[in-house]
Amino acid sequence: MNLDNIQKKLFERKLDTTEYFKTAFDVYREFLKNNKLLVFLTYLLMLAIIGTDFFNRYLIFKIVINEDRSPKIVSMLMVFGILELIFSIIQLFLTGYYLKKIVMEIEDKKEFNLKKFILKILRLVSIQYCLILGFTVIVESLKMVSLGIISLILQITAIIIAVKYFLYFEVYYIQDDTGIISSINYSYQLSKGNRLRKIIPGIVLILISIIPTFVIAFGILQVFRISFWFGIIVIAIFIVGVVLAGIYLQVLSSVIFLNVEYDFLKKREKNNEIEEGYYENKE
């Protein structure tokens, strides 16, 4: 599949939901073929994240329930807690890299500034963590003082703000040499009349891929009460499904973003031409 044809298709007109899925699958298939090592490393990273998370929960169980506070257990919890944090940060960088690489391949761009990319992701992750931490503290504090209704209102408000301003923020911020505020403003401009284009495909993909994969994998473990090692195999297969679905979701997001942006840029250029013609006639 020639990705040049994909770019032309995205530029010609706005696609519908079915066309988004078909186009994204064409890109997805080509992307997997060209990036086998990257996908495999992503799978290993997800295994590491889930493995360290399970082990940390086991250690916390021993400390809290069994009251085993020996130096060995506490030290292991600290070490594996740090490992899980490191793996999670790497995963965030990898997510950004996927979005960057997918769009670069569609638009046939070769230039990639690794230092600038790392600094942008660090800035974004730092702000996200601060906002999430602050918001979580406020929400939980309100619940503790029996102000749950205010907590609910804040959560609904946060969702509304995200839908209004941030639907196309991440892909644009990672792609373009721009700051956070200008990226939020650009995302807001792209979102006008295009919110459902991003929301509906995302919901459909989650319903038809990630949730069934989760239910089937853990349903087998619970219903049939299979052996420990077979359970590990089922979880490993489940992670494969999550990784592949996650990559497809990023491809789908990139395809929708480019289609919406191309349409936005064409309309802006047309409006500029109309304004120039108006002032020329006026003179």
Side-chain angles (χ1 to χ4, degrees):
M1 170 65 65
N2 189 346
L3 293 183
D4 287 340
N5 294 333
I6 296 293
Q7 187 180 16
K8 291 176 183 176
K9 182 178 180 180
L10 295 175
F11 186 81
E12 285 174 356
R13 61 179 178 83
K14 276 189 175 181
L15 306 181
D16 58 33
T17 301
T18 303
E19 290 174 315
Y20 280 138
F21 278 104
K22 290 180 180 177
T23 305
F25 184 76
D26 290 335
V27 177
Y28 175 72
R29 185 174 51 193
E30 191 74 14
F31 184 83
L32 291 182
K33 185 173 69 176
N34 297 334
N35 298 278
K36 295 184 182 70
L37 179 60
L38 179 62
V39 174
F40 179 68
L41 291 176
T42 304
Y43 174 71
L44 293 181
L45 179 62
M46 289 300 298
L47 275 177
I49 291 173
I50 292 176
T52 52
D53 181 66
F54 280 166
F55 191 64
N56 283 331
R57 291 175 186 273
Y58 166 73
L59 293 174
I60 292 171
F61 177 83
K62 286 182 69 69
I63 292 173
V64 175
I65 305 300
N66 297 341
E67 297 185 352
D68 183 356
R69 296 180 176 85
S70 62
K72 180 182 177 181
I73 295 295
V74 174
S75 298
M76 288 176 66
L77 180 61
M78 290 179 61
V79 170
F80 279 90
I82 293 171
L83 279 176
E84 184 179 357
L85 177 63
I86 292 172
F87 290 148
S88 298
I89 292 173
I90 294 173
Q91 192 267 336
L92 290 173
F93 276 91
L94 200 56
T95 299
Y97 181 71
Y98 269 108
L99 291 173
K100 180 79 173 178
K101 189 169 180 61
I102 290 165
V103 173
M104 286 179 64
E105 290 195 6
I106 293 175
E107 298 192 322
D108 195 27
K109 293 180 178 178
K110 306 298 182 184
E111 184 179 348
F112 177 68
N113 190 319
L114 181 60
K115 180 181 177 181
K116 186 180 293 184
F117 171 77
I118 292 175
L119 290 175
K120 292 198 78 169
I121 296 296
L122 277 175
R123 191 182 307 123
L124 179 61
V125 170
S126 300
I127 293 174
Q128 283 180 334
Y129 268 114
C130 290
L131 289 175
I132 291 172
L133 179 61
F135 185 78
T136 302
V137 169
I138 292 172
V139 168
E140 294 302 320
S141 299
L142 289 170
K143 288 180 180 178
M144 290 175 64
V145 294
S146 301
L147 292 174
I149 185 64
I150 297 179
S151 171
L152 178 61
I153 292 172
L154 283 177
Q155 293 177 64
I156 293 173
T157 302
I159 293 173
I160 292 172
I161 291 173
V163 170
K164 186 172 182 179
Y165 292 99
F166 290 93
L167 283 180
Y168 297 95
F169 165 78
E170 189 176 21
V171 182
Y172 177 71
Y173 174 75
I174 291 171
Q175 301 305 323
D176 205 71
D177 187 14
T178 185
I180 289 177
I181 301 300
S182 56
S183 296
I184 293 173
N185 180 62
Y186 192 73
S187 173
Y188 171 67
Q189 297 298 324
L190 291 182
S191 296
K192 294 177 180 178
N194 294 301
R195 290 184 174 88
L196 292 181
R197 287 181 175 275
K198 183 70 180 291
I199 294 171
I200 292 176
I203 293 175
V204 170
L205 179 62
I206 291 172
L207 291 176
I208 65 176
S209 61
I210 297 177
I211 290 179
T213 302
F214 180 86
V215 171
I216 291 170
F218 285 91
I220 292 173
L221 293 176
Q222 294 298 321
V223 174
F224 296 101
R225 300 186 181 279
I226 50 186
S227 67
F228 173 78
W229 290 111
F230 192 75
I232 294 297
I233 294 173
V234 171
I235 292 174
I237 294 172
F238 161 71
I239 295 173
V240 171
V242 170
V243 169
L244 294 177
I247 295 172
Y248 182 78
L249 180 60
Q250 290 174 311
V251 173
L252 182 64
S253 295
S254 300
V255 165
I256 294 172
F257 166 77
L258 288 176
N259 186 231
V260 170
E261 184 183 41
Y262 291 157
D263 182 73
F264 173 78
L265 293 176
K266 283 193 297 183
K267 287 180 178 177
R268 188 167 67 179
E269 183 179 356
K270 185 176 180 180
N271 290 337
N272 289 339
E273 290 175 355
I274 292 173
E275 287 182 6
E276 289 175 3
Y278 170 78
Y279 286 115
E280 286 177 1
N281 293 333
K282 197 171 183 180
E283 290 176 357

Short mmCIF file of all heavy atoms in Angstrom, two decimals, residues 160-207:
data_model
loop_
_atom_site.label_atom_id
_atom_site.label_comp_id
_atom_site.label_asym_id
_atom_site.label_seq_id
_atom_site.Cartn_x
_atom_site.Cartn_y
_atom_site.Cartn_z
N ILE A 160 -15.92 17.91 29.97
CA ILE A 160 -16.41 18.89 28.98
C ILE A 160 -15.24 19.71 28.42
O ILE A 160 -15.15 19.94 27.20
CB ILE A 160 -17.46 19.82 29.62
CG1 ILE A 160 -18.73 19.03 29.95
CG2 ILE A 160 -17.79 20.99 28.69
CD1 ILE A 160 -19.75 19.81 30.76
N ILE A 161 -14.33 20.14 29.29
CA ILE A 161 -13.16 20.92 28.85
C ILE A 161 -12.29 20.08 27.92
O ILE A 161 -11.80 20.57 26.89
CB ILE A 161 -12.36 21.41 30.07
CG1 ILE A 161 -13.16 22.47 30.84
CG2 ILE A 161 -11.01 21.98 29.63
CD1 ILE A 161 -12.53 22.89 32.14
N ALA A 162 -12.10 18.82 28.29
CA ALA A 162 -11.27 17.93 27.46
C ALA A 162 -11.87 17.76 26.07
O ALA A 162 -11.15 17.82 25.06
CB ALA A 162 -11.12 16.58 28.15
N VAL A 163 -13.17 17.55 26.01
CA VAL A 163 -13.85 17.36 24.73
C VAL A 163 -13.83 18.65 23.90
O VAL A 163 -13.68 18.61 22.68
CB VAL A 163 -15.30 16.88 24.95
CG1 VAL A 163 -16.09 16.92 23.65
CG2 VAL A 163 -15.31 15.48 25.54
N LYS A 164 -13.92 19.78 24.57
CA LYS A 164 -13.99 21.06 23.85
C LYS A 164 -12.62 21.50 23.33
O LYS A 164 -12.53 22.04 22.22
CB LYS A 164 -14.56 22.14 24.77
CG LYS A 164 -14.80 23.47 24.08
CD LYS A 164 -15.54 24.45 24.99
CE LYS A 164 -15.82 25.76 24.25
NZ LYS A 164 -16.57 26.72 25.09
N TYR A 165 -11.57 21.27 24.12
CA TYR A 165 -10.27 21.85 23.78
C TYR A 165 -9.16 20.86 23.43
O TYR A 165 -8.18 21.25 22.79
CB TYR A 165 -9.77 22.71 24.95
CG TYR A 165 -10.57 23.95 25.18
CD1 TYR A 165 -11.54 24.01 26.18
CD2 TYR A 165 -10.38 25.10 24.41
CE1 TYR A 165 -12.30 25.15 26.40
CE2 TYR A 165 -11.13 26.25 24.62
CZ TYR A 165 -12.09 26.26 25.62
OH TYR A 165 -12.83 27.40 25.84
N PHE A 166 -9.27 19.60 23.84
CA PHE A 166 -8.10 18.73 23.78
C PHE A 166 -8.24 17.51 22.87
O PHE A 166 -7.36 16.65 22.88
CB PHE A 166 -7.76 18.25 25.20
CG PHE A 166 -7.22 19.33 26.09
CD1 PHE A 166 -8.08 20.05 26.91
CD2 PHE A 166 -5.88 19.63 26.12
CE1 PHE A 166 -7.60 21.06 27.73
CE2 PHE A 166 -5.38 20.62 26.92
CZ PHE A 166 -6.24 21.34 27.74
N LEU A 167 -9.27 17.41 22.06
CA LEU A 167 -9.46 16.23 21.22
C LEU A 167 -8.31 16.02 20.23
O LEU A 167 -7.88 14.90 19.98
CB LEU A 167 -10.79 16.33 20.46
CG LEU A 167 -12.05 16.03 21.27
CD1 LEU A 167 -13.28 16.16 20.38
CD2 LEU A 167 -12.00 14.63 21.88
N TYR A 168 -7.82 17.11 19.66
CA TYR A 168 -6.75 17.00 18.65
C TYR A 168 -5.43 17.56 19.16
O TYR A 168 -4.49 17.74 18.38
CB TYR A 168 -7.17 17.73 17.37
CG TYR A 168 -8.40 17.14 16.72
CD1 TYR A 168 -9.67 17.65 16.98
CD2 TYR A 168 -8.29 16.05 15.87
CE1 TYR A 168 -10.80 17.10 16.40
CE2 TYR A 168 -9.42 15.49 15.28
CZ TYR A 168 -10.66 16.02 15.55
OH TYR A 168 -11.77 15.46 14.98
N PHE A 169 -5.38 17.82 20.45
CA PHE A 169 -4.20 18.48 21.03
C PHE A 169 -2.94 17.64 20.93
O PHE A 169 -1.90 18.10 20.44
CB PHE A 169 -4.48 18.84 22.50
CG PHE A 169 -3.24 19.19 23.28
CD1 PHE A 169 -2.66 20.44 23.14
CD2 PHE A 169 -2.65 18.26 24.13
CE1 PHE A 169 -1.51 20.76 23.85
CE2 PHE A 169 -1.51 18.57 24.84
CZ PHE A 169 -0.94 19.83 24.70
N GLU A 170 -3.01 16.40 21.39
CA GLU A 170 -1.80 15.58 21.54
C GLU A 170 -1.09 15.33 20.22
O GLU A 170 0.12 15.50 20.11
CB GLU A 170 -2.14 14.25 22.21
CG GLU A 170 -0.92 13.43 22.59
CD GLU A 170 -1.28 12.16 23.34
OE1 GLU A 170 -2.45 11.71 23.23
OE2 GLU A 170 -0.40 11.62 24.02
N VAL A 171 -1.86 14.94 19.19
CA VAL A 171 -1.24 14.64 17.89
C VAL A 171 -0.59 15.90 17.32
O VAL A 171 0.55 15.84 16.84
CB VAL A 171 -2.29 14.09 16.90
CG1 VAL A 171 -1.62 13.74 15.59
CG2 VAL A 171 -2.98 12.87 17.48
N TYR A 172 -1.28 17.04 17.40
CA TYR A 172 -0.72 18.27 16.83
C TYR A 172 0.50 18.73 17.62
O TYR A 172 1.51 19.14 17.03
CB TYR A 172 -1.79 19.38 16.83
CG TYR A 172 -1.25 20.70 16.32
CD1 TYR A 172 -0.95 20.86 14.97
CD2 TYR A 172 -1.03 21.76 17.18
CE1 TYR A 172 -0.44 22.06 14.48
CE2 TYR A 172 -0.53 22.97 16.71
CZ TYR A 172 -0.23 23.11 15.37
OH TYR A 172 0.28 24.29 14.90
N TYR A 173 0.42 18.69 18.95
CA TYR A 173 1.53 19.15 19.78
C TYR A 173 2.80 18.35 19.50
O TYR A 173 3.90 18.92 19.41
CB TYR A 173 1.15 19.02 21.26
CG TYR A 173 2.30 19.33 22.21
CD1 TYR A 173 2.70 20.66 22.43
CD2 TYR A 173 2.97 18.31 22.87
CE1 TYR A 173 3.75 20.94 23.29
CE2 TYR A 173 4.02 18.59 23.73
CZ TYR A 173 4.40 19.90 23.93
OH TYR A 173 5.44 20.18 24.79
N ILE A 174 2.66 17.04 19.33
CA ILE A 174 3.82 16.19 19.08
C ILE A 174 4.37 16.40 17.67
O ILE A 174 5.58 16.35 17.46
CB ILE A 174 3.44 14.71 19.30
CG1 ILE A 174 3.19 14.46 20.80
CG2 ILE A 174 4.52 13.77 18.78
CD1 ILE A 174 2.62 13.11 21.12
N GLN A 175 3.49 16.68 16.70
CA GLN A 175 3.92 16.82 15.31
C GLN A 175 4.58 18.15 15.01
O GLN A 175 5.57 18.22 14.31
CB GLN A 175 2.72 16.64 14.37
CG GLN A 175 2.00 15.32 14.47
CD GLN A 175 2.90 14.14 14.29
OE1 GLN A 175 3.83 14.17 13.49
NE2 GLN A 175 2.64 13.08 15.04
N ASP A 176 4.01 19.21 15.56
CA ASP A 176 4.38 20.54 15.12
C ASP A 176 5.36 21.20 16.10
O ASP A 176 5.37 20.88 17.28
CB ASP A 176 3.15 21.43 14.98
CG ASP A 176 3.35 22.56 13.98
OD1 ASP A 176 3.42 22.28 12.78
OD2 ASP A 176 3.45 23.71 14.42
N ASP A 177 6.14 22.12 15.58
CA ASP A 177 7.09 22.87 16.41
C ASP A 177 6.36 24.04 17.06
O ASP A 177 6.51 25.19 16.68
CB ASP A 177 8.25 23.36 15.54
CG ASP A 177 9.35 23.99 16.39
OD1 ASP A 177 9.33 23.79 17.63
OD2 ASP A 177 10.21 24.69 15.82
N THR A 178 5.55 23.72 18.06
CA THR A 178 4.72 24.73 18.68
C THR A 178 4.60 24.47 20.17
O THR A 178 4.97 23.39 20.67
CB THR A 178 3.31 24.73 18.04
OG1 THR A 178 2.54 25.79 18.58
CG2 THR A 178 2.60 23.41 18.34
N GLY A 179 4.10 25.47 20.91
CA GLY A 179 3.97 25.34 22.35
C GLY A 179 2.64 24.75 22.77
O GLY A 179 1.77 24.47 21.94
N ILE A 180 2.47 24.58 24.08
CA ILE A 180 1.28 23.94 24.61
C ILE A 180 0.04 24.81 24.42
O ILE A 180 -1.00 24.34 23.97
CB ILE A 180 1.48 23.59 26.10
CG1 ILE A 180 2.48 22.44 26.23
CG2 ILE A 180 0.14 23.20 26.75
CD1 ILE A 180 2.81 22.04 27.64
N ILE A 181 0.14 26.10 24.73
CA ILE A 181 -1.03 27.00 24.63
C ILE A 181 -1.51 27.11 23.19
O ILE A 181 -2.71 27.01 22.92
CB ILE A 181 -0.70 28.40 25.20
CG1 ILE A 181 -0.28 28.30 26.67
CG2 ILE A 181 -1.90 29.32 25.05
CD1 ILE A 181 -1.34 27.70 27.58
N SER A 182 -0.58 27.32 22.27
CA SER A 182 -0.97 27.44 20.86
C SER A 182 -1.54 26.12 20.33
O SER A 182 -2.44 26.10 19.48
CB SER A 182 0.22 27.88 20.00
OG SER A 182 1.31 27.00 20.15
N SER A 183 -1.05 24.98 20.85
CA SER A 183 -1.57 23.68 20.45
C SER A 183 -3.00 23.48 20.95
O SER A 183 -3.84 22.91 20.26
CB SER A 183 -0.68 22.55 20.99
OG SER A 183 0.61 22.61 20.42
N ILE A 184 -3.27 23.96 22.18
CA ILE A 184 -4.63 23.89 22.71
C ILE A 184 -5.58 24.72 21.86
O ILE A 184 -6.69 24.29 21.52
CB ILE A 184 -4.67 24.37 24.17
CG1 ILE A 184 -3.89 23.40 25.08
CG2 ILE A 184 -6.12 24.50 24.67
CD1 ILE A 184 -3.74 23.89 26.50
N ASN A 185 -5.14 25.91 21.48
CA ASN A 185 -5.97 26.79 20.65
C ASN A 185 -6.22 26.17 19.27
O ASN A 185 -7.35 26.20 18.76
CB ASN A 185 -5.28 28.14 20.48
CG ASN A 185 -6.10 29.09 19.62
OD1 ASN A 185 -7.22 29.45 19.94
ND2 ASN A 185 -5.52 29.49 18.49
N TYR A 186 -5.18 25.57 18.69
CA TYR A 186 -5.33 24.93 17.37
C TYR A 186 -6.27 23.73 17.46
O TYR A 186 -7.10 23.50 16.57
CB TYR A 186 -3.96 24.51 16.86
CG TYR A 186 -3.96 24.11 15.40
CD1 TYR A 186 -4.08 25.06 14.40
CD2 TYR A 186 -3.82 22.78 15.02
CE1 TYR A 186 -4.07 24.71 13.06
CE2 TYR A 186 -3.80 22.41 13.69
CZ TYR A 186 -3.93 23.37 12.71
OH TYR A 186 -3.92 23.01 11.38
N SER A 187 -6.14 22.96 18.54
CA SER A 187 -7.02 21.82 18.76
C SER A 187 -8.47 22.28 18.87
O SER A 187 -9.38 21.63 18.33
CB SER A 187 -6.61 21.07 20.03
OG SER A 187 -7.54 20.07 20.36
N TYR A 188 -8.68 23.40 19.54
CA TYR A 188 -10.04 23.95 19.68
C TYR A 188 -10.59 24.34 18.31
O TYR A 188 -11.77 24.09 18.01
CB TYR A 188 -10.01 25.15 20.60
CG TYR A 188 -11.30 25.92 20.66
CD1 TYR A 188 -12.45 25.35 21.21
CD2 TYR A 188 -11.38 27.22 20.16
CE1 TYR A 188 -13.64 26.06 21.26
CE2 TYR A 188 -12.57 27.93 20.20
CZ TYR A 188 -13.69 27.35 20.74
OH TYR A 188 -14.87 28.04 20.78
N GLN A 189 -9.75 24.96 17.46
CA GLN A 189 -10.19 25.35 16.12
C GLN A 189 -10.54 24.12 15.28
O GLN A 189 -11.56 24.11 14.57
CB GLN A 189 -9.07 26.15 15.42
CG GLN A 189 -8.72 27.47 16.09
CD GLN A 189 -9.89 28.43 16.13
OE1 GLN A 189 -10.69 28.48 15.20
NE2 GLN A 189 -10.00 29.21 17.20
N LEU A 190 -9.71 23.07 15.38
CA LEU A 190 -9.99 21.85 14.62
C LEU A 190 -11.25 21.15 15.13
O LEU A 190 -11.95 20.48 14.36
CB LEU A 190 -8.80 20.88 14.72
CG LEU A 190 -7.50 21.28 14.02
CD1 LEU A 190 -6.47 20.17 14.21
CD2 LEU A 190 -7.71 21.55 12.55
N SER A 191 -11.52 21.28 16.42
CA SER A 191 -12.64 20.56 17.03
C SER A 191 -14.01 21.07 16.60
O SER A 191 -15.00 20.34 16.69
CB SER A 191 -12.54 20.63 18.56
OG SER A 191 -11.37 19.97 19.01
N LYS A 192 -14.07 22.32 16.16
CA LYS A 192 -15.36 22.91 15.78
C LYS A 192 -15.99 22.11 14.64
O LYS A 192 -15.49 22.07 13.53
CB LYS A 192 -15.18 24.37 15.35
CG LYS A 192 -14.73 25.29 16.50
CD LYS A 192 -14.50 26.71 16.00
CE LYS A 192 -14.06 27.63 17.14
NZ LYS A 192 -13.78 29.00 16.68
N GLY A 193 -17.09 21.46 14.94
CA GLY A 193 -17.79 20.65 13.95
C GLY A 193 -17.15 19.30 13.69
O GLY A 193 -17.62 18.55 12.82
N ASN A 194 -16.09 18.96 14.45
CA ASN A 194 -15.38 17.71 14.19
C ASN A 194 -15.18 16.87 15.46
O ASN A 194 -14.32 15.98 15.47
CB ASN A 194 -14.00 18.01 13.58
CG ASN A 194 -14.10 18.62 12.20
OD1 ASN A 194 -14.68 18.04 11.29
ND2 ASN A 194 -13.56 19.83 12.05
N ARG A 195 -15.94 17.14 16.49
CA ARG A 195 -15.75 16.41 17.75
C ARG A 195 -16.20 14.96 17.63
O ARG A 195 -15.52 14.05 18.09
CB ARG A 195 -16.45 17.13 18.90
CG ARG A 195 -15.79 18.45 19.25
CD ARG A 195 -16.41 19.14 20.45
NE ARG A 195 -15.63 20.33 20.81
CZ ARG A 195 -15.83 21.53 20.29
NH1 ARG A 195 -16.81 21.72 19.41
NH2 ARG A 195 -15.06 22.55 20.63
N LEU A 196 -17.37 14.75 17.03
CA LEU A 196 -17.88 13.38 16.91
C LEU A 196 -17.02 12.54 15.97
O LEU A 196 -16.99 11.30 16.10
CB LEU A 196 -19.33 13.40 16.41
CG LEU A 196 -20.35 13.96 17.40
CD1 LEU A 196 -21.75 13.91 16.80
CD2 LEU A 196 -20.32 13.20 18.72
N ARG A 197 -16.32 13.18 15.04
CA ARG A 197 -15.41 12.46 14.15
C ARG A 197 -14.31 11.75 14.94
O ARG A 197 -13.80 10.70 14.53
CB ARG A 197 -14.76 13.41 13.14
CG ARG A 197 -15.68 13.88 12.07
CD ARG A 197 -15.00 14.81 11.08
NE ARG A 197 -15.94 15.12 10.02
CZ ARG A 197 -16.14 14.37 8.96
NH1 ARG A 197 -15.44 13.26 8.80
NH2 ARG A 197 -17.02 14.70 8.05
N LYS A 198 -13.92 12.35 16.06
CA LYS A 198 -12.87 11.77 16.90
C LYS A 198 -13.46 10.85 17.97
O LYS A 198 -12.90 9.78 18.27
CB LYS A 198 -12.09 12.90 17.57
CG LYS A 198 -10.92 12.44 18.42
CD LYS A 198 -9.80 11.88 17.56
CE LYS A 198 -8.64 11.42 18.44
NZ LYS A 198 -7.95 12.55 19.07
N ILE A 199 -14.60 11.23 18.54
CA ILE A 199 -15.16 10.50 19.67
C ILE A 199 -15.77 9.16 19.25
O ILE A 199 -15.48 8.12 19.85
CB ILE A 199 -16.22 11.36 20.39
CG1 ILE A 199 -15.56 12.58 21.03
CG2 ILE A 199 -16.94 10.54 21.46
CD1 ILE A 199 -16.54 13.59 21.58
N ILE A 200 -16.61 9.17 18.21
CA ILE A 200 -17.34 7.96 17.83
C ILE A 200 -16.40 6.82 17.41
O ILE A 200 -16.54 5.69 17.91
CB ILE A 200 -18.37 8.27 16.72
CG1 ILE A 200 -19.49 9.15 17.29
CG2 ILE A 200 -18.95 6.97 16.14
CD1 ILE A 200 -20.51 9.59 16.27
N PRO A 201 -15.42 7.04 16.51
CA PRO A 201 -14.52 5.93 16.15
C PRO A 201 -13.75 5.38 17.36
O PRO A 201 -13.54 4.16 17.45
CB PRO A 201 -13.56 6.57 15.14
CG PRO A 201 -14.34 7.70 14.55
CD PRO A 201 -15.15 8.24 15.69
N GLY A 202 -13.35 6.26 18.27
CA GLY A 202 -12.63 5.79 19.46
C GLY A 202 -13.48 4.88 20.32
O GLY A 202 -13.02 3.83 20.79
N ILE A 203 -14.73 5.27 20.54
CA ILE A 203 -15.65 4.46 21.35
C ILE A 203 -15.92 3.12 20.66
O ILE A 203 -15.90 2.06 21.30
CB ILE A 203 -16.98 5.21 21.57
CG1 ILE A 203 -16.74 6.44 22.46
CG2 ILE A 203 -18.01 4.29 22.21
CD1 ILE A 203 -17.96 7.31 22.64
N VAL A 204 -16.15 3.16 19.34
CA VAL A 204 -16.42 1.92 18.59
C VAL A 204 -15.24 0.97 18.69
O VAL A 204 -15.41 -0.24 18.92
CB VAL A 204 -16.73 2.24 17.11
CG1 VAL A 204 -16.78 0.97 16.29
CG2 VAL A 204 -18.05 2.99 17.00
N LEU A 205 -14.02 1.50 18.54
CA LEU A 205 -12.83 0.65 18.59
C LEU A 205 -12.68 -0.01 19.95
O LEU A 205 -12.36 -1.20 20.05
CB LEU A 205 -11.59 1.48 18.26
CG LEU A 205 -10.26 0.70 18.30
CD1 LEU A 205 -10.26 -0.41 17.26
CD2 LEU A 205 -9.08 1.64 18.08
N ILE A 206 -12.91 0.75 21.01
CA ILE A 206 -12.81 0.19 22.37
C ILE A 206 -13.85 -0.92 22.57
O ILE A 206 -13.54 -1.97 23.13
CB ILE A 206 -12.98 1.30 23.42
CG1 ILE A 206 -11.76 2.24 23.39
CG2 ILE A 206 -13.14 0.71 24.82
CD1 ILE A 206 -11.91 3.47 24.25
N LEU A 207 -15.06 -0.68 22.08
CA LEU A 207 -16.13 -1.65 22.27
C LEU A 207 -15.88 -2.95 21.52
O LEU A 207 -16.22 -4.03 22.00
CB LEU A 207 -17.47 -1.06 21.83
CG LEU A 207 -18.03 0.07 22.72
CD1 LEU A 207 -19.31 0.62 22.11
CD2 LEU A 207 -18.30 -0.45 24.13
#
